[in-house]
Amino acid sequence: MTHNNGQLSPSCTANILRDISHIPRKKLGQNFLVDSNIVRKSLELADVNPNDCIVEIGPGLGTLTGALISRGARVWAVEIDPELYAYLRDTFRDEENLNLINADALEFPLAGLPPDVPDFKIVANLPYAISTPWLDGVLSGRLPQKMVLMLQKEAAERFSASSSSGDYTPISAMLSQAYAAISKHKVSASCFYPRPKVDSILMALERLPNPLIFSPRAKAAMRFAFSMRRKQLGTIAKNAGEFSPHFLKWLESSPEIRASDRPETVEPHIWSRLNTIIEQTK
Ligand code: SAM
């Protein structure tokens, strides 16, 4: 079997699934890309060049994978489904540029990319159920130069939300301090097989010149604050346990915010100051 170059059609996809007796698993978000324009667009947005190191999450039937390899990229991919993993192993068996693991992307957010790879990009049609915790994992470590992600519309809105919007959450603030969202494209359900019941967005992100990584403690403090998003910052600060002194210091030293403000109105760069305070006073 040879791999495709991102040219799978709905009937070809249905045939492969039948041949390998695989019924798409809804729980694993198995909606396969069947539109070569979207595959091409994803590679174009990621500016994929020969020898680029690319991480892919959930390669599925290898549509994006094949296209990436055809461009000369080296790919690290993580697929959780053992049947799809076996199919990919067989299909790409002669491919030296594919490093595939059968694992959970939440445990391997960078698909086992070796630490000595100097820089890399992520191109992925994500399983929608894990997009937020997976992105949180990516934002905790080595940051890719670019990310081109297929997302459920609601996740794309959350990721790019600004303060005061109902979609604003810790992930919106953290992402905006490390990446610029350079484009968002609506993708029709007809580009996938089977067709998903949700709307999709292809989002391209570029790493900022001085990206900020929030520490695990700062993330925990922010999550605590957002779990009380209707409460005032002053009340949150008094009830934040080990983080109370940090929140109080943050409030005192941030003229832009008041104790009567709510977490959802605090702009990302002010949250980044809470990160600094927490890290300075461990
Ligand atoms: N990349 C393929 C494509 O574009 O046609 C498939 C994308 S499909 C939306 C999501 C893929 O992620 C499926 O192959 C699914 O089995 C895999 N997947 C789901 N949850 C996963 C997880 N936690 N870790 C790794 N892969 C996962």
Side-chain angles (χ1 to χ4, degrees):
M1 219 180 308
T2 53
H3 68 76
N4 68 85
N5 295 328
Q7 306 296 325
L8 285 183
S9 64
S11 59
C12 179
T13 300
N15 287 342
I16 294 174
L17 291 170
R18 198 195 50 229
D19 289 350
I20 63 170
S21 308
H22 184 82
I23 298 168
R25 296 186 181 147
K26 214 170 157 194
K27 226 175 83 189
L28 294 181
Q30 291 180 349
N31 303 96
F32 305 100
L33 261 178
V34 292
D35 186 306
S36 51
N37 288 325
I38 300 297
V39 174
R40 212 173 306 125
K41 184 88 198 162
S42 304
L43 268 62
E44 191 187 297
L45 287 169
D47 188 23
V48 177
N49 292 302
N51 297 321
D52 271 0
C53 294
I54 309 278
V55 166
E56 188 191 356
I57 305 304
L61 296 174
T63 308
L64 272 172
T65 326
L68 289 164
I69 288 172
S70 297
R71 283 274 180 104
R74 295 164 65 201
V75 178
W76 280 262
V78 51
E79 172 57 61
I80 201 169
D81 188 312
E83 285 177 14
L84 298 183
Y85 171 78
Y87 167 77
L88 290 162
R89 270 257 84 94
D90 186 29
T91 307
F92 292 92
R93 64 180 170 272
D94 298 325
E95 221 24 276
E96 283 176 2
N97 279 343
L98 175 61
N99 305 273
L100 179 66
I101 56 170
N102 182 203
D104 186 342
L106 293 180
E107 281 172 44
F108 295 88
L110 299 183
L113 183 80
D116 58 351
V117 165
D119 210 352
F120 66 103
K121 300 170 182 172
I122 299 182
V123 180
N125 174 13
L126 285 174
Y128 293 166
I130 66 159
S131 55
T132 302
W134 168 80
L135 184 61
D136 192 16
V138 171
L139 294 177
S140 307
R142 271 186 304 159
L143 298 176
Q145 181 197 343
K146 282 178 195 284
M147 292 192 262
V148 175
L149 307 175
M150 184 72 76
L151 299 162
Q152 186 172 335
K153 183 168 156 258
E154 288 72 14
E157 281 166 358
R158 224 172 24 252
F159 293 172
S160 54
S162 46
S163 52
S164 299
S165 117
D167 295 320
Y168 187 59
T169 62
I171 199 89
S172 335
M174 290 188 293
L175 186 60
S176 78
Q177 294 301 283
Y179 284 86
I182 51 174
S183 71
K184 283 198 275 180
H185 300 269
K186 207 171 160 222
V187 178
S188 151
S190 64
C191 298
F192 305 90
Y193 178 91
R195 291 168 74 119
K197 292 205 173 69
V198 295
D199 293 325
S200 300
I201 299 273
L202 185 65
M203 187 171 180
L205 297 149
E206 198 160 83
R207 192 177 58 208
L208 296 175
N210 294 304
L212 175 79
I213 295 183
F214 284 74
S215 72
R217 280 159 51 80
K219 285 185 188 183
M222 273 173 85
R223 286 211 187 88
F224 173 77
F226 274 84
S227 72
M228 304 169 85
R229 63 189 290 147
R230 303 269 167 244
K231 294 263 189 317
Q232 298 183 347
L233 294 175
T235 310
I236 291 169
K238 283 189 208 129
N239 291 289
E242 60 161 321
F243 294 122
S244 276
H246 307 100
F247 270 112
L248 291 168
K249 188 170 174 193
W250 177 59
L251 277 171
E252 272 166 31
S253 60
S254 303
E256 307 92 333
I257 49 173
R258 285 169 309 212
S260 57
D261 288 341
R262 295 173 207 283
E264 59 197 9
T265 64
V266 177
E267 287 183 36
H269 71 277
I270 302 175
W271 283 116
S272 73
R273 210 175 294 148
L274 177 65
N275 179 69
T276 311
I277 290 171
I278 288 177
E279 285 316 287
Q280 278 170 351
T281 48
K282 274 193 199 164

